[in-house]
Amino acid sequence: MAAPADTKDVLKLPSYAATPKGPPPLSEVIERLGFGWAQLRCAIIGGAVFLADGAELLLIGTVTRAVSSEWGMPAWQRGLVVSVVFVGILLGNAMSGPMGDNFGRRMPIIASYAGIAVFSVLSAMTNSFYQLASARLLVGIAFGFGQPAAIAQCVEVTPVYWRTLVQAVVQGSFIIGELYSALLVWYDDPEMKNLDWRWLLMMGAIPSAVYFFLAIFFLPQSPNYLACHGEDEAATKVLEGMRHDNGLPDDVSVEFRAIPPRAASTPLQRAMEPMAIVFSLPMLYTTCVSIYSCFVLNVVFYGCLYAFPQVVADVDMGSSPAVALIIGALWEIPGSLLSVICALFMSVRPVTIASLSLMFVSMLSFTLGAEAHVLNSEKDTTVWHAMMLHGGYMGIKAFTYVAFVAIYTFAAEIYPTRARTTGSAASVAGGRVGGMIAPLLFEELADRTGGFSAFFYTMMGFIALNLMLILPVTTKAADDDDHESQPVVLMH
């Protein structure tokens, strides 16, 4: 097939003729190898970019008051020093898609760990708002560069039935990161009045440094990426390693049907093809819903991650503020277990709808309970107010986690291999816009209204709109990798 003669042909989706019978497609080989240590290794080592994310973001949200007190920062600077991290993540996501689809999943993950560690240490050495904001921007870029590749890799090496479970493990590493940072805060100052923010940021860089070396030595390349780029021998070696890790005998075949060679194309055409698939007409509505769903999850989760340290300092949670943050991170563990149960017995769509609905109810409960504690004296608050406060706090943490697992699985598996990192990056980048505006939105609404309630009611509006948009969408995984450039149609 001749190369396209015009750059407008870059936007045409490629197609392949039917492949004759022979060895099974790579997707069937992945199913044959089953679930085991091979998948867990990718989830634990590659997915730890989310562990570093949880550790760093909770720390920077927590130490903002300490930095503000030391430097005399106004409200807009307090919000911006957190929001700029999400600007960086957005930029990192934009770079990760093309890099991951053209150079493999492994490289962005390793580079991400290195960048997070180095730039976090630089953050602790800054002496002004602009230096700190610049360093946090670079930390954000490092986050964003690794996450879409990690999501794509975990989807590609995992049988369909186990994908949501693997995403639960990946997202669970975020909880570990939060707990790590919350324990650091508790160790430094349980009342969070005199935090040594430089020491905390230095300690927050340790997980990334550790996983940088683990990824270099133990994280394999995606066999799907290798096969799609004609490196069948390398892909076979990775599959043999997966077979060994999962405890299967050597007579289990890992031979797969070679993906047909692609037509000659220019570097620009190869770079643009994944984007053309992701935003093609059959995929457009689903892509937009996936982006908005990730936006809602991030604006809610990171907005609450920023808001809770401010709220628990003013609302009696029955413990010190630092312990309240630890309890909040621990409440995500039931969410992790619930997401595993849902993964085994339910499809992605009902899990998504149910978790978003319960997020809405939990947000309302927490807000009403917190308002009662602020407006009433201690003797006037009832046990019902306490139940609403703590039940809502638990629900926000747990059900948001379930929604993250379901929607991030959906955002990765709907795209074919050649566009999977780009598709994941588009959704994750849309989510990071939510994370980017969340701290600024909280500070602005709190400044205008004198309280925190307006922020939480705004979050409820975002969730309600998400529910309306996601109802027309059904889900179907794109797994036919020898015709993997044909997008799936996901509208009823």
Side-chain angles (χ1 to χ4, degrees):
M1 185 184 296
D6 193 284
T7 54
K8 67 183 180 182
D9 287 333
V10 168
L11 300 180
K12 291 183 178 179
L13 300 179
S15 61
Y16 302 116
T19 307
K21 291 184 177 180
L26 180 55
S27 59
E28 289 188 18
V29 176
I30 296 294
E31 295 292 329
R32 179 188 301 159
L33 294 178
F35 176 80
W37 285 110
Q39 287 74 27
L40 290 175
R41 178 169 61 170
C42 287
I44 293 171
I45 298 178
V49 289
F50 288 91
L51 184 153
D53 191 0
E56 289 286 339
L57 289 176
L58 187 140
L59 279 179
I60 193 62
T62 302
V63 305
T64 299
R65 281 191 174 185
V67 179
S68 178
S69 298
E70 182 177 325
W71 293 350
M73 293 162 54
W76 70 269
Q77 288 186 346
R78 289 197 301 270
L80 190 59
V81 80
V82 179
S83 292
V84 73
V85 177
F86 295 97
V87 175
I89 294 174
L90 182 64
L91 296 174
N93 289 159
M95 294 185 286
S96 178
M99 293 294 288
D101 283 330
N102 287 286
F103 298 100
R105 319 322 190 196
R106 187 172 181 269
M107 183 272 288
I109 296 172
I110 293 174
S112 176
Y113 288 135
I116 295 169
V118 171
F119 298 132
S120 293
V121 171
L122 288 179
S123 298
M125 300 169 65
T126 57
N127 294 300
S128 69
F129 162 74
Y130 293 104
Q131 289 180 1
L132 180 60
S134 299
R136 299 314 292 178
L137 175 68
L138 294 173
V139 171
I141 291 174
F143 282 149
F145 196 60
Q147 289 172 344
I151 293 171
Q153 169 124 338
C154 288
V155 166
E156 289 171 350
V157 301
T158 306
V160 174
Y161 179 78
W162 298 101
R163 285 179 179 174
T164 308
L165 175 61
V166 168
Q167 283 301 317
V169 174
V170 172
Q171 299 297 329
S173 65
F174 190 98
I175 302 174
I176 297 173
E178 283 187 292
L179 284 171
Y180 172 76
S181 291
L183 288 170
L184 287 177
V185 172
W186 174 80
Y187 176 81
D188 187 42
D189 179 13
E191 299 301 322
M192 296 170 54
K193 301 296 184 184
N194 298 290
L195 293 172
D196 184 351
W197 65 270
R198 296 182 188 275
W199 178 81
L200 288 170
L201 292 181
M202 291 282 285
M203 294 299 100
I206 292 176
S208 301
V210 171
Y211 277 98
F212 168 75
F213 291 103
L214 290 176
I216 286 179
F217 293 108
F218 300 110
L219 184 67
Q221 182 59 274
S222 165
N224 299 58
Y225 165 80
L226 294 170
C228 280
H229 288 75
E231 300 181 45
D232 292 354
E233 184 176 348
T236 299
K237 289 182 179 179
V238 173
L239 293 171
E240 289 172 348
M242 292 173 59
R243 180 179 63 191
H244 177 268
D245 289 345
N246 288 354
L248 298 175
D250 292 343
D251 59 0
V252 175
S253 175
V254 295
E255 184 182 5
F256 62 91
R257 183 185 307 163
I259 295 175
R262 305 180 54 71
S265 58
T266 66
L268 176 62
Q269 290 169 329
R270 291 193 296 272
M272 290 295 294
E273 181 197 5
M275 192 69 69
I277 295 172
V278 170
F279 291 99
S280 63
L281 188 59
M283 293 293 298
L284 185 59
Y285 182 83
T286 302
T287 293
C288 290
V289 171
S290 178
I291 290 172
Y292 181 73
S293 298
C294 290
F295 167 85
V296 171
L297 288 179
N298 281 265
V299 76
V300 168
F301 184 84
Y302 292 111
C304 291
L305 195 66
Y306 181 82
F308 283 149
Q310 329 294 331
V311 175
V312 299
D314 300 325
V315 175
D316 182 12
M317 299 287 290
S319 61
S320 70
V323 171
L325 292 180
I326 295 173
I327 292 172
L330 289 173
W331 275 126
E332 293 176 22
I333 296 176
S336 173
L337 298 175
L338 182 59
S339 66
V340 171
I341 295 171
C342 292
L344 297 177
F345 298 104
M346 299 173 66
S347 62
V348 170
R349 185 170 182 269
V351 173
T352 302
I353 294 172
S355 57
L356 288 172
S357 301
L358 291 168
M359 284 168 57
F360 182 95
V361 173
S362 300
M363 191 82 65
L364 179 61
S365 175
F366 175 82
T367 306
L368 295 176
E371 285 178 338
H373 278 73
V374 171
L375 297 176
N376 301 320
S377 63
E378 184 175 347
K379 66 179 181 180
D380 292 330
T381 55
T382 67
V383 66
W384 293 107
H385 293 142
M387 290 175 63
M388 292 173 67
L389 176 67
H390 291 281
Y393 188 42
M394 177 274 291
I396 292 171
K397 287 291 189 175
F399 298 129
T400 304
Y401 181 90
V402 177
F404 259 114
V405 172
I407 289 176
Y408 274 43
T409 301
F410 164 72
E413 70 178 11
I414 58 174
Y415 298 109
T417 299
R418 294 195 193 278
R420 186 163 285 137
T421 306
T422 297
S424 299
S427 297
V428 174
R432 295 318 186 180
V433 174
M436 180 175 62
I437 70 170
L440 293 173
L441 187 61
F442 176 83
E443 291 288 354
E444 183 66 20
L445 290 174
D447 188 54
R448 288 180 178 272
T449 63
F452 54 80
S453 299
F455 172 79
F456 290 103
Y457 287 123
T458 302
M459 297 301 100
M460 292 179 223
F462 286 140
I463 296 170
L465 179 58
N466 197 176
L467 280 166
M468 289 188 290
L469 291 175
I470 209 166
L471 287 176
V473 178
T474 186
T475 59
K476 176 187 174 185
D479 284 310
D480 191 7
D481 281 317
D482 46 342
H483 296 82
E484 80 323 281
S485 64
Q486 300 300 320
V488 292
V489 181
L490 299 178
M491 287 295 295
H492 283 307

